Amino acid sequence: MKVRQVLIFKSSVKTKDKKNFLMQLVKTHLPQIQDATVDLDDEDAIFRVETEECCIDYLTNFLQGHGIQVDFLDRFVVA
């Protein structure tokens, strides 16, 4: 059984252009992510992902390969 979860990361995304680039990467290359947001108003540029299948290590390495640094902070299971 798949578990829907929310993954929270600190990110290196600081501009609207970089945010748009990240969202396009997620939409195009990570179909296992149902929803993603980046809070540019937060000093840590919090990147929030909703998924049932995405692995934290895979996501971190994939984004790092595209010049986006993310540091895992927390995970929540969605009921």
Side-chain angles (χ1 to χ4, degrees), residues 1-5 31-32 34 51-54 77-79:
M1 182 176 150
K2 296 178 184 175
V3 176
R4 188 168 180 90
Q5 58 188 337
Q32 64 272 43
Q34 286 84 35
T51 184
E52 291 179 351
E53 300 177 19
C54 194
V77 173
V78 179

Side-chain angles (χ1 to χ4, degrees), residues 47-62:
F47 176 48
R48 178 184 168 275
V49 173
E50 288 187 34
T51 184
E52 291 179 351
E53 300 177 19
C54 194
C55 171
I56 293 167
D57 290 336
Y58 176 80
L59 180 59
T60 301
N61 292 331
F62 175 79

Side-chain angles (χ1 to χ4, degrees), residues 22 25 30 47 58-68 70:
L22 171 58
L25 280 175
L30 301 167
F47 176 48
Y58 176 80
L59 180 59
T60 301
N61 292 331
F62 175 79
L63 294 177
Q64 189 172 17
H66 290 278
I68 298 172
V70 293

Side-chain angles (χ1 to χ4, degrees), residues 35-48:
D35 190 32
T37 60
V38 176
D39 184 357
L40 293 179
D41 294 328
D42 187 279
E43 91 178 32
D44 290 329
I46 295 299
F47 176 48
R48 178 184 168 275

